[in-house]
Amino acid sequence: MNIFSGSILDYLSLLLFAVISIGLSLYLYYNNELPKITKAILITLRAVSLFLMLSLLLNPFIEYFKSVSEKAPNIILIDKSLSTGIGKNDSAILNSVMNITGGSDNFKLYTFGSRLIQEVIKSAIDSAVNNKYSTNLASSFDDIKDLNFEKINSISIVSDGLINEGNNLLQAARNLKAPIHYKLTGDTAQRKDLVLSRVLYNKRQFINSTAKVFAEISSYYADKEIKINLYENDSKIRTNSVLVSNTKNEYETAFDVSSPIAGIKKYRLEIEPESGEVTEINNSEIFYINYVDNSVRMLVIAGGPSYDLSALKQTLNRSENIKYDTRVQKSASEYYEGALPKFSDYDIVTLIGIPNNFTSKESTDLIISGIKKSGNPLFFFNSSDLSFDKINEFKDILPFAFNETGKREVKGSLFFTPNKLYNDTESLRKLKTLPPAFFYQGAFSGKPNSTILGLQNSEPAVIVDNSTEIKTAAFLGYGFYQWNLKPGGSYEYLQNVLSGFITLCTDENSKDKFTIKTNKDCYAVSEPVYFTSVFKEIDAANKYKVRLNISNQSKGFELDLSQTGENIFQGDMKYFEKGDYTVKADLYENNAIKYSSLTKFSVDEPFKEYKETKATDNLLKEIANMTGGVNLSGKNSAEIEDLFKFKGENTVTYPNKTLLRNSIWYLIFILLLLSIEWFIRKRNNLA
């Protein structure tokens, strides 16, 4: 327990007050002819009361720790995302909450959407705020975790189960360390609907070349020919017809798009609505394609002359869009064509058969530093003389991990595996298998963030990681020159692999030294828009700033991005109204504009919230099974009451502080001392 702030001055003052109090008391009663005991009592009473009054000048306090027992809460998470409004489920949600809580107030109620929204009371559920753009249960779990409850008795989710955003949901559920129950609301029967489920396209496309836009369609209870329209900058340019029936739900159609000039074009795919659809919001989607100059600058660095290098060069020569230079290793630190050039002058770096046993440490360091500084995508092709020791020096920028198993060469064909990245690239969609090539058995494995596109003998053969700052792709076989020599051989095999790599690893990059991008093409009202800018030639000696000018036809906004990495600048802004926006990013070097870059985005309906319209408990059931929770539907009141019984109390200890000048008992004690002194004085006839 503390009484003062702890300063030495406080204790010196306290000693002075004691001396003053005793001195004044002795002076007052020293010459009075009283019995010694009476005089001592009066001196003591006056000294103590004076001391206590003078001590108030130091603002004394009592500080102590107080322990309180609290019951672990039962938490109810109430889904207020827009998808719950499809069937006007507000009354059903309120009834579900009342069924769970009964007449008890031992529950904490929170609404959620893209994250935890607010704490509410039962009577205010209907008027609670709706979150307007997604359903993210993982973020809501994280927000509950951040409330720092000592212990949670249980969590109950009242939702339609349509979770459309968020990562690591199961891990977020485990972190709460509580049983998670659920009550499904909404209609579990599929109603009539036409849904534009997914749009597949290349975000970056060369001018004067034709690309495909694939539309995946879900049809429910429609039996006729439907029309899908493609709009370019809000003008209809294509219409495809698809015959749908009640015997099949999933369909696909494709559109050709192109542009003769560079620039960013807005597109919108729309299924013409049918009468009786549960909602028409999921019939359309907005996206943007950036058309760029149809040339890619590639630097090819090879460990030495080889048949595979010749095959790669022949393939590159057949492409009008790829301009390349080579550096072929002549000795440990020399190349036939001269020194390594400036990496920032290229868009892609390709390594083939390097490093090998002859490659010097100086050369590998130059290559690695050049790639990291430029931020260029990296393509890797294996070879028979690859150095397993030296390849480890590249481990930070390659999409695979090296296993020290030795070189056990096997020959096999490559089979492409179904995955989203594979399906997103038109060139890879043409390939189901590749002709045989040579591989090292058991030598390589994928990193956590990488995607294995192709396998040979159940081991990685084609692997990509486009989730990091330096996007990388690797073909882990060699001897592919034979693809072009055998009967039926074709340059298209290697050409399609290269085109797929370029699509996957340069979609989000530009040949420009300075770029700006958003994390999505289209956002809902109130959804944060996240901006990322990259400058490839940061000089530590200079000061940099990135300022955004964001505008539509009627309004303009400014935003300064924060530098979050060596050459990365990021920021976010929300509360945009519906419409199309242009973003101009200016890079300031020492307060002068050095580069500018453009991107575009739109704000429209929350398409994601309506991609599914039928309530489902698939995810909720998995979470409940994992955490020891149950489905509350069908449970009677006694069973529900038993589930939510408190299984223990938490003891919470917190500091408490009382100022003595505010204490009535302190003042009463001083008055009591003075009253006793007055009574004794009166009994002894003292004035």
Side-chain angles (χ1 to χ4, degrees):
M1 181 178 72
N2 295 322
I3 299 177
F4 302 107
S5 62
S7 169
I8 187 65
L9 184 61
D10 288 337
Y11 293 102
L12 291 175
S13 300
L14 197 65
L15 179 61
L16 177 62
F17 292 158
V19 171
I20 293 172
S21 299
I22 294 171
L24 288 174
S25 300
L26 288 172
Y27 175 77
L28 181 62
Y29 290 104
Y30 181 76
N31 293 321
N32 289 336
E33 293 182 0
L34 294 169
K36 288 184 178 181
I37 294 178
T38 302
K39 184 184 288 188
I41 292 172
L42 288 171
I43 291 172
T44 301
L45 289 170
R46 178 57 63 94
V48 172
S49 59
L50 277 175
F51 176 76
L52 292 176
M53 286 188 284
L54 289 173
S55 296
L56 290 175
L57 296 174
L58 299 178
N59 201 23
F61 58 85
I62 296 175
E63 187 176 62
Y64 56 93
F65 288 94
K66 186 175 182 180
S67 295
V68 177
S69 293
E70 293 183 350
K71 291 182 177 179
N74 290 304
I75 293 173
I76 299 180
L77 295 179
I78 305 161
D79 190 347
K80 292 293 286 184
S81 60
L82 288 181
S83 64
T84 60
I86 293 176
K88 296 181 170 46
N89 292 325
D90 283 349
S91 59
I93 289 172
L94 179 59
N95 290 336
S96 295
V97 173
M98 297 298 293
N99 178 255
I100 294 171
T101 61
S104 173
D105 291 325
N106 295 323
F107 290 85
K108 285 184 173 292
L109 279 57
Y110 297 90
T111 56
F112 74 94
S114 64
R115 61 185 314 140
L116 213 62
I117 304 174
Q118 61 183 140
E119 185 174 3
V120 295
I121 57 176
K122 281 186 283 187
S123 59
I125 293 174
D126 284 344
S127 60
V129 176
N130 280 72
N131 196 293
K132 296 188 178 300
Y133 54 89
S134 68
T135 310
N136 190 333
L137 191 54
S139 287
S140 302
F141 284 161
D142 290 339
D143 290 340
I144 289 289
K145 182 76 173 175
D146 291 340
L147 294 176
N148 292 321
F149 291 111
E150 186 74 19
K151 187 179 180 182
I152 297 173
N153 198 54
S154 71
I155 296 173
S156 300
I157 302 168
V158 180
S159 171
D160 56 13
L162 301 178
I163 314 302
N164 50 46
E165 198 171 83
N167 298 318
N168 302 319
L169 174 58
L170 297 182
Q171 184 58 49
R174 286 192 191 95
N175 290 340
L176 293 173
K177 298 179 181 177
I180 299 178
H181 314 299
Y182 72 92
K183 181 73 176 288
L184 190 67
T185 62
D187 195 346
T188 57
Q190 179 64 58
R191 287 175 286 176
K192 184 177 181 180
D193 203 12
L194 295 174
V195 184
L196 184 60
S197 304
R198 193 162 65 139
V199 180
L200 303 174
Y201 62 97
N202 294 335
K203 288 180 65 67
R204 185 170 179 266
Q205 177 63 35
F206 296 126
I207 61 173
N208 296 319
S209 63
T210 301
K212 295 283 187 183
V213 174
F214 294 91
E216 294 184 357
I217 300 159
S218 297
S219 171
Y220 305 101
Y221 301 109
D223 194 351
K224 60 176 295 185
E225 185 178 83
I226 62 172
K227 295 187 182 300
I228 302 94
N229 299 318
L230 176 66
Y231 294 82
E232 181 183 293
N233 295 329
D234 297 323
S235 297
K236 188 193 294 186
I237 59 170
R238 304 274 191 284
T239 297
N240 285 2
S241 297
V242 176
L243 184 62
V244 300
S245 70
N246 291 326
T247 60
K248 182 182 175 183
N249 299 128
E250 306 301 326
Y251 302 87
E252 182 179 275
T253 187
F255 297 83
D256 290 335
V257 294
S258 63
S259 175
I261 58 173
I264 301 172
K265 285 190 175 182
K266 174 190 173 185
Y267 291 93
R268 178 165 58 91
L269 271 175
E270 180 185 74
I271 305 173
E272 291 186 5
E274 290 291 310
S275 61
E277 284 192 67
V278 63
T279 179
E280 295 178 8
I281 295 176
N282 56 19
N283 287 36
S284 64
E285 187 166 325
I286 292 170
F287 60 97
Y288 287 87
I289 294 178
N290 184 15
Y291 290 95
V292 297
D293 180 16
N294 59 344
S295 63
V296 172
R297 296 164 296 179
M298 181 184 291
L299 174 62
V300 179
I301 305 175
S306 69
Y307 292 122
D308 279 352
L309 175 60
S310 297
L312 178 62
K313 291 169 66 175
Q314 289 169 13
T315 302
L316 294 175
N317 289 336
R318 295 168 63 90
S319 173
E320 297 179 358
N321 297 324
I322 301 176
K323 311 299 180 186
Y324 71 95
D325 291 321
T326 59
R327 291 296 185 271
V328 181
Q329 187 174 266
K330 179 180 180 181
S331 63
S333 300
E334 290 184 309
Y335 300 88
Y336 286 105
E337 299 85 353
L340 289 172
K342 191 176 181 181
F343 281 56
S344 58
D345 290 339
Y346 297 87
D347 304 312
I348 300 167
V349 176
T350 296
L351 304 182
I352 177 168
I354 194 168
N356 55 35
N357 291 328
F358 301 102
T359 309
S360 68
K361 181 72 163 58
E362 177 188 3
S363 287
T364 57
D365 288 346
L366 284 173
I367 294 170
I368 293 169
S369 64
I371 293 169
K372 286 184 175 180
K373 186 174 181 181
S374 66
N376 287 331
L378 171 64
F379 299 168
F380 175 86
F381 289 88
N382 201 357
S383 72
S384 59
D385 58 353
L386 184 75
S387 170
F388 277 20
D389 291 331
K390 294 178 182 178
I391 194 62
N392 269 335
E393 297 177 27
F394 291 79
K395 62 183 178 182
D396 292 339
I397 55 174
L398 287 173
F400 57 84
F402 167 64
N403 306 317
E404 296 183 9
T405 60
K407 291 185 177 181
R408 295 197 297 273
E409 186 179 85
V410 296
K411 188 175 184 179
S413 296
L414 182 151
F415 296 89
F416 284 91
T417 58
N419 58 73
K420 184 180 183 302
L421 287 183
Y422 172 74
N423 290 329
D424 279 355
T425 63
E426 181 188 354
S427 51
L428 291 179
R429 282 164 64 100
K430 297 176 182 177
L431 300 173
K432 300 299 180 185
T433 62
L434 286 175
F438 293 99
F439 299 89
Y440 295 135
Q441 186 177 6
F444 304 110
S445 58
K447 286 184 177 178
N449 291 327
S450 63
T451 300
I452 296 173
L453 300 180
L455 294 169
Q456 61 80 28
N457 295 319
S458 301
E459 293 185 5
V462 178
I463 190 164
V464 168
D465 183 0
N466 62 0
S467 65
T468 54
E469 183 182 345
I470 297 175
K471 304 183 188 304
T472 56
F475 178 74
L476 298 177
Y478 56 92
F480 48 81
Y481 72 92
Q482 299 180 61
W483 297 352
N484 304 334
L485 301 179
K486 292 186 175 182
S490 171
Y491 286 99
E492 289 188 4
Y493 289 119
L494 186 55
Q495 193 167 358
N496 285 330
V497 170
L498 273 173
S499 297
F501 283 177
I502 291 172
T503 298
L504 291 172
C505 294
T506 62
D507 276 353
E508 304 299 330
N509 287 305
S510 167
K511 61 181 66 181
D512 296 332
K513 296 183 174 81
F514 174 63
T515 59
I516 180 66
K517 66 176 182 179
T518 56
N519 64 322
K520 291 167 56 177
D521 284 350
C522 189
Y523 300 82
V525 174
S526 83
E527 182 176 6
V529 181
Y530 292 93
F531 303 95
T532 299
S533 181
V534 177
F535 178 46
K536 294 182 179 180
E537 295 186 341
I538 288 282
D539 185 342
N542 296 324
K543 289 183 63 177
Y544 296 95
K545 180 177 71 173
V546 175
R547 173 165 294 171
L548 305 185
N549 289 283
I550 309 161
S551 61
N552 62 5
Q553 292 181 345
S554 60
K555 290 185 178 180
F557 310 88
E558 280 193 353
L559 175 66
D560 287 343
L561 302 186
S562 301
Q563 190 167 356
T564 58
E566 183 181 356
N567 61 346
I568 298 175
F569 301 81
Q570 294 179 309
D572 65 89
M573 183 181 284
K574 59 181 177 180
Y575 303 122
F576 291 104
E577 298 174 350
K578 283 188 179 182
D580 302 328
Y581 293 83
T582 298
V583 182
K584 179 177 179 287
D586 294 321
L587 176 78
Y588 289 81
E589 183 179 80
N590 298 328
N591 296 320
I593 294 180
K594 185 177 179 67
Y595 293 109
S596 295
S597 183
L598 290 176
T599 192
K600 295 182 179 182
F601 69 91
S602 294
V603 176
D604 207 278
E605 297 288 351
F607 310 121
K608 186 183 295 184
E609 272 292 286
Y610 301 98
K611 291 294 185 182
E612 293 182 73
T613 57
K614 180 180 72 172
T616 174
D617 66 351
N618 291 341
L619 272 174
L620 299 178
K621 184 185 295 183
E622 187 174 358
I623 293 169
N625 290 339
M626 181 188 68
T627 61
V630 298
N631 181 357
L632 298 174
S633 299
K635 299 286 184 185
N636 59 43
S637 57
E639 290 173 319
I640 290 177
E641 185 179 349
D642 185 61
L643 281 173
F644 298 116
K645 283 181 180 177
F646 293 107
K647 299 174 178 61
E649 294 184 345
N650 302 323
T651 301
V652 180
T653 302
Y654 57 91
N656 204 4
K657 184 176 181 179
T658 300
L659 293 173
L660 294 184
R661 69 183 182 189
N662 296 332
S663 173
I664 187 66
W665 297 110
Y666 188 86
L667 298 178
I668 289 173
F669 183 61
I670 294 174
L671 289 174
L672 180 62
L673 293 176
L674 293 174
S675 298
I676 294 172
E677 182 189 2
W678 175 82
F679 177 77
I680 295 174
R681 287 173 63 86
K682 285 295 184 183
R683 291 293 300 266
N684 289 278
N685 297 317
L686 295 177

